[in-house]
Amino acid sequence: WTAIRHLVGLGGGRPATVVVARSDWLTFQVKPSTPEQREAWLKKRLAAVPTDPGQLVGNFLPSLLVAAPNAQVLHIFLEQLYSKDSLVGGYSFNSLRLFRENDLRTQALELVRRRGLSDWMASLLSWSRLFQNDKEDIVRTILPRLRSGDDRQVAATLTLLGALVHTKGFGWPPNSKVPAQVDRAVLAVGLNLVKCGGEVPQTLALYLGGIRTDQSRELLWELAGRPEPERDQALTVLAWIADDRDLPRLGEFLLRPGDQDITGSDLATLPYQLLHAYGDGAIPYLEQALSASPYVFVRTSCAEELILKDRPAAYDFFLDSVQKNRVYKRELVQWLKDYRGLSQNADDEAVIEFLNSHLRH
């Protein structure tokens, strides 16, 4: 046995480790604990669950895993899925594979009935095949939580409902009325959910994208009137839906002044989304934004998308950036090298010739 002491260096010097005592060599045998000792240890640990995230992840939860797949220990890990600390929730979620599936299914469903949902619990119920046959019971249990007033509960509920009724993995029978009933329930409280905080507006937008009705689109436009990130999520979903009636309004966002990001970086993906969703029908809106958008990142994004369509206006925009040494010149030139086959060693003259050659054709 050796005892050491850590000494802090004087005057900012390096710390030193000093041996202050050392025994003779000795031999000992480590014997296994008895079942009674292990049971007493586990009982003591379970009676004093810490609340500090550092203690939970750094000591308490890892030490409990030695007792897996004990059902009492599983209960502790499931309870921690409701932690507001993402590290605690994530650690607990990733530990669940060490427990028996029957215990996991039974305890998780009971906990949802009693406490509702959290992000991690919603993930568990939507990802695991264990709950395939419980989907109708889960829907009945969580649907009232849409009116809970707890933003975290509502967001998790929307996430799970979307996974249950709008993805193919849960395979509702063709004659099932449940998916339509859930859609109606969400639409019934939609205007209230638009006004909620936290992640509710974003998860609502994602859910509405699976309905694709005039009423759901109206709610998405309500969300598009909110600040980012709620607005950006709603615009993305509206582009996914690709209803022709929405294209002019979506195009207006590329031109509308007053965005809180003066560069328009939050709108920079919208040109790609419009072109991907609407095809050539979106080109006039991108060309208008290329020349008139108040946001530099919108203009450069439009130029990149339009040059892939061989639009002369896009080549002119690239030429202007090189010849006038615009602030975004380097980015655009590198984009040409990465995506349009321009040599990585091309200088400005080569870039200009490359662009002019395409304009001539």
Side-chain angles (χ1 to χ4, degrees):
W1 296 99
T2 300
I4 61 173
R5 180 177 298 160
H6 299 285
L7 301 178
V8 178
L10 298 177
R14 298 178 62 183
T17 300
V18 178
V19 175
V20 295
R22 177 172 286 153
S23 72
D24 294 331
W25 282 102
L26 48 95
T27 301
F28 58 90
Q29 182 180 6
V30 179
K31 295 182 179 181
S33 56
T34 65
E36 293 75 18
Q37 288 173 322
R38 290 195 293 275
E39 184 177 350
W41 171 86
L42 182 59
K43 184 178 180 179
K44 183 177 179 180
R45 296 291 282 176
L46 295 178
V49 180
T51 58
D52 178 72
Q55 293 180 14
L56 281 166
V57 176
N59 181 280
F60 182 78
L61 294 176
S63 72
L64 281 186
L65 288 178
V66 73
N70 182 289
Q72 290 179 289
V73 173
L74 171 61
H75 179 75
I76 296 295
F77 279 84
L78 286 172
E79 288 280 357
Q80 294 305 320
L81 296 184
Y82 293 83
S83 172
K84 293 182 179 180
D85 187 279
S86 60
L87 188 60
V88 173
Y91 186 93
S92 300
F93 180 86
N94 289 310
S95 300
L96 296 177
R97 59 186 176 82
L98 300 176
F99 297 89
R100 288 182 288 265
E101 290 186 347
N102 286 341
D103 290 340
L104 177 58
R105 174 183 169 274
T106 301
Q107 290 196 30
L109 292 175
E110 175 57 33
L111 199 54
V112 170
R113 295 186 190 101
R114 181 165 56 86
R115 294 192 58 177
L117 290 172
S118 66
D119 292 344
W120 289 110
M121 184 61 82
S123 296
L124 174 63
L125 269 60
S126 62
W127 293 350
S128 177
R129 60 180 175 80
L130 290 176
F131 306 96
Q132 172 68 31
N133 296 327
D134 301 298
K135 55 183 179 290
E136 192 164 346
D137 181 49
I138 293 171
V139 167
R140 286 196 301 267
T141 299
I142 67 175
L143 205 53
R145 299 282 178 171
L146 289 174
R147 300 177 183 270
S148 73
D150 181 335
D151 289 342
R152 293 180 73 227
Q153 283 272 349
V154 173
T157 300
L158 284 168
T159 297
L160 181 54
L161 287 173
L164 291 176
V165 305
H166 289 165
T167 60
K168 296 180 180 179
F170 281 87
W172 294 89
N175 61 346
S176 175
K177 298 179 180 179
V178 174
Q181 291 171 347
V182 174
D183 286 349
R184 287 195 296 270
V186 173
L187 291 172
V189 295
L191 283 175
N192 291 330
L193 299 184
V194 167
K195 303 171 186 176
C196 288
E199 296 183 2
V200 173
Q202 292 170 271
T203 53
L204 174 63
L206 290 170
Y207 187 93
L208 294 172
I211 300 180
R212 295 172 181 256
T213 64
D214 287 349
Q215 187 179 357
S216 67
R217 286 175 45 253
E218 289 174 8
L219 284 172
L220 284 167
W221 281 112
E222 287 286 337
L223 288 167
R226 289 174 60 95
E228 58 173 299
E230 292 92 339
R231 180 203 65 180
D232 303 336
Q233 186 66 74
L235 294 178
T236 297
V237 173
L238 284 164
W240 290 347
I241 294 173
D243 189 300
D244 288 339
R245 293 170 293 177
D246 293 325
L247 180 55
R249 295 177 69 180
L250 290 167
E252 288 177 10
F253 277 88
L254 302 175
L255 300 167
R256 183 180 301 175
D259 192 88
Q260 65 186 54
D261 184 340
I262 61 173
T263 65
S265 63
D266 53 327
L267 293 167
T269 62
L270 188 56
Y272 165 80
Q273 293 165 358
L274 294 183
L275 202 58
H276 181 76
Y278 292 95
D280 290 351
I283 288 178
Y285 298 95
L286 269 63
E287 289 187 327
Q288 186 179 12
L290 179 65
S291 62
S293 175
Y295 309 114
V296 61
F297 283 121
V298 169
R299 296 196 301 274
T300 57
S301 181
C302 287
E304 291 169 358
E305 297 302 326
L306 289 170
I307 209 169
L308 293 174
K309 293 288 186 177
D310 279 326
R311 305 299 291 187
Y315 288 108
D316 285 335
F317 186 90
F318 272 77
L319 270 174
D320 176 82
S321 73
V322 177
Q323 293 171 337
K324 296 184 179 178
N325 199 31
R326 303 290 189 186
V327 293
Y328 42 80
K329 165 190 164 182
R330 179 178 297 181
E331 173 195 332
L332 291 183
V333 170
Q334 188 59 52
W335 187 90
L336 288 173
K337 294 176 179 180
D338 292 339
Y339 297 102
R340 292 291 286 169
L342 182 66
S343 170
Q344 292 290 334
N345 298 321
D347 58 14
D348 285 359
E349 289 186 7
V351 174
I352 292 171
E353 175 56 30
F354 174 86
L355 295 168
N356 279 323
S357 68
H358 283 79
L359 280 170
R360 288 195 292 267
H361 293 87

